[in-house]
Amino acid sequence: MDAIRTDDLTKYYGGTRGIEHISLTVGQGDFFGFIGPNGAGKSTFIRTLLGLIRPSSGQARIFGLNVGRDRVKILERVGYLPAEASFWPGMRVRDVLRLSAGLRRRDCQPEADRLCERLRLDPSRKVETLSLGNRKKAAIVCALQHEPELLILDEPTSGLDPLMQREFFDILRERSAQGATIFLSSHILSEVQRNCAHAAIIRDGSIIACGSVESLSRADARRVSVRGHVELDGLAGIRDLRRTPDGVDFLYGGDMRELLSALAKGDVRDLTVSEPELEEVFLHYYEEGGVRHDDL
Ligand code: ADP
């Protein structure tokens, strides 16, 4: 059974597009990244998925349960980190954590202590005195302390310093190794590339590419760096061309034989052909507006 499954999920805010026709499946135990720039629809998808807002049309299921009908049952098995955490003023971090654990009728104290220590969060602090990063940590502990089967994390690393981001991903990897399913949204491609097994790219409310991170990174294009002089005029399939002090660097998606023949005519002293970064591939999807679905 899939951990998450949506069919044609669509949400309009009045006349404003939130998300359109999103059909996505995330298998149990997957470590899934949901990538897109601000305003693409990541939070709308997550909030609709969790039944926090009603879809305009389409369906969402979590562990096979209908999000509209079985929300309470679902939320018992899910840890959710909202993009912007807000707490009641006057409470201390430890009260917030206890309240959150209490809602799930669980004693999560040992795990909460462990997480606070690893994330260097002082539970005696009043929530209104917390920095953005520390508020984020408190929300992370709320989402993780009851050790849920499914973690849905909306932009979890924004506001965390690099050291804490690393610790946070270590914790997620441990949870993943224990069998939890992890779904996280991000606008930082490199963190998805480093940590996730599968990913979907969302643009303007629609999924434009979906598959294993490996296959998404493996675009048809190659990054080519040439040291020396080469004439590239008339060669189709060149993007992102940059002159370097001693040559040229570009993304190439055209016919390899034509490239090799152009290079052979030039004065090439060194040549590197490598797979582009996911970031470059992502920009390419954005520029050309292509849709690509690989098997998950
Ligand atoms: P992301 O999480 O990727 O930054 P959002 O899901 O927040 O994107 O937003 C997607 C689109 O929906 C944006 O155009 C945004 O302005 C719009 N939107 C989000 N929330 C609301 C809302 N409560 N009312 C009206 N429009 C909204």
Side-chain angles (χ1 to χ4, degrees), residues 9-165:
L9 201 63
T10 298
K11 171 70 189 178
Y12 274 89
Y13 299 98
T16 310
R17 180 274 306 153
I19 50 168
E20 280 177 321
H21 308 294
I22 296 195
S23 297
L24 194 72
T25 43
V26 177
Q28 282 196 43
D30 201 351
F31 203 136
F32 196 99
F34 196 50
I35 320 167
N38 291 333
K42 300 182 297 297
S43 296
T44 301
F45 176 76
I46 288 177
R47 283 158 52 215
T48 316
L49 173 66
L50 287 169
L52 301 173
I53 50 177
R54 252 173 206 270
S56 306
S57 60
Q59 264 207 14
R61 289 183 169 272
I62 291 183
F63 298 124
L65 299 168
N66 183 295
V67 167
R69 275 201 313 266
D70 303 309
R71 220 181 93 201
V72 175
K73 256 193 214 158
I74 290 171
L75 292 180
E76 278 170 14
R77 299 167 71 180
V78 173
Y80 166 52
L81 174 78
E84 275 152 37
S86 48
F87 304 106
W88 280 297
M91 291 179 83
R92 295 188 188 278
V93 170
R94 80 160 64 83
D95 303 326
V96 170
L97 299 180
R98 258 187 224 136
L99 181 69
S100 169
L103 292 174
R104 296 170 190 282
R105 295 182 216 96
R106 292 267 301 265
D107 172 21
C108 306
Q109 191 71 48
E111 187 57 19
D113 288 347
R114 212 173 67 88
L115 289 165
C116 284
E117 200 176 313
R118 286 184 73 173
L119 294 170
R120 296 182 210 286
L121 174 66
D122 178 356
S124 67
R125 292 276 298 276
K126 286 223 162 137
V127 286
E128 62 268 30
T129 67
L130 297 178
S131 65
L132 180 67
N134 279 326
R135 269 212 307 279
K136 193 69 157 200
K137 291 178 192 174
I140 289 173
V141 180
C142 283
L144 269 69
Q145 63 177 351
H146 58 294
E147 300 177 81
E149 288 164 72
L150 171 62
L151 280 164
I152 297 185
L153 310 165
D154 198 351
E155 298 267 0
T157 55
S158 65
L160 290 187
D161 65 48
L163 218 66
M164 279 303 123
Q165 291 187 13

Side-chain angles (χ1 to χ4, degrees), residues 220 235-238 252-263:
D220 301 330
L235 199 60
I238 289 189
Y252 185 67
D255 188 326
M256 239 345 137
R257 285 163 301 186
E258 285 177 24
L259 174 65
L260 289 174
S261 127
L263 292 172

